[in-house]
Amino acid sequence: MLEERPLRPPPAWAWPRAIILVDMDAFFAAIEQRDNPAWRKRPLGITNGAQGTCLITCSYEARAFGVHTGMRLPEARLRCPGLIQVPARPERYAAVSTAIMAALRTITPDIEIFSVDEAFLDITRCQRLLGHPEGVARRVRELVYETAGVTCSVGLSGDKTTAKYAAKLNKPDGLTVIPPWEARERLRAVPVTELCGINKGIGRFLAEHGVHRCGDMARLPISVLARRFGNPGRRIWYMCQGADPEPVLTREAPPKTIGHGKVMPPATRSREVILTFLLHMSQKVGARLRRHGMQAQSFFVGLRADPGWLGDKRRLVRPTDDSRVIAALARAIFLDCWRGEGVHQVQVTALDPAPADYQLSLFEPTPARGEVSRVMDAVNSRYGEFALAPARLLRRSQMPNVISPAWRPYGHRETIGSGSGLGGDNAEGAEAQRRKEIENG
């Protein structure tokens, strides 16, 4: 029988908890400047294709002129006459992000990919092997540059929220360390809405209760937030005091929704064009459900118009992954809700995706359509998105896909990647934006 060896105590300098947040600097623009040396040190504006009129992001050289993400291209050029418009290459960004995340896993297996250009690393258990947390954070910055040739900014603290706040204090190519025993004091004068996860709606609630800065939170009983927001409210109470209890989440949670949206030409009023966009998004949602062996029974179909969101949530008789069924539902909701308003964006979202149940009722016909869909998926995976598609989609938008902020290099959020056969558009984006607008009032 092997004798168990007692665990050695941690080194005297070890932190009780050490979390690193890695945040790439102007990630998409930095990749373009790396791949095209003539663009280095020059102002770039990344748009969704050559026809795009809104900036997805921009380089730091452009930001020096007051250009920012979300700005319309004409205004950006007025502020920065030398701005270079660069069509986005989402597949390239996804490939570089995948390489960076793989490299970060050599530091610690306790990693949470927070977005396409951000990751949390829990190095608490690695301190004896890797050394002092600040030295590890410096190594992380070096590793990102060695792997991808782009810079990142790093925040190091004892919890996720403080580490993320720290990372944005010294951008670009910075390192900010806030030891856990200093976090509460360092956050004291910070407006609560500066912290990740506290949006305008929550900020208004806190302001109504006298909480404007993180230091004010100690005077508000935690029960007030718990009654209004449940467990997320309890977390917010601790976040503002430099003690966010949430662990680094190393496993991707099952999808709560699977959706795709696309921006349309402004104020589109053509019935046929809108229906083509809805068919396009329905095909993508169905293909993504099938790819991950999932079906859904409830769907949201939305149109963003000048008055706000039009649309509806509806529940089918039985779960489906059939793009035809989803498209028929989208068409029905469109006909019921649209009265000629100018439409700027469409969204189709499966609201309750779950592992597929292909058990048929006794008298239900054999779903030959399922075999057709699987063949189409296989062809599109090999030869490219919509190599096989309904003829109507020949008139679909030719705007490139957009890599979603929620993209991941694996699992149900890998909406863009080599060989995936699926484009990202703005997966979950429009639905999330719609919910945020409602929450913020």
Side-chain angles (χ1 to χ4, degrees), residues 93-95 97-99 101 105 111-120 160 249-253 288 291-292 403-418 420 424 427-428:
Y93 310 148
S97 178
T98 299
M101 300 307 173
R105 289 187 186 280
I111 177 173
E112 176 183 341
I113 300 172
F114 192 64
S115 69
V116 66
D117 60 352
E118 291 180 285
F120 287 104
K160 290 170 69 174
L249 305 174
T250 58
R251 294 185 179 182
E252 189 69 38
R288 193 153 154 231
R291 180 183 175 212
H292 297 291
I403 187 167
S404 166
W407 176 89
R408 300 290 187 271
Y410 52 81
H412 66 275
R413 292 186 178 181
E414 187 197 359
T415 52
I416 289 181
S418 58
S420 73
E428 283 82 49

Side-chain angles (χ1 to χ4, degrees), residues 3 84 149 201 214 244 341 425:
E3 182 180 352
I84 301 170
C214 292
D244 180 5
E341 298 91 344
D425 288 308

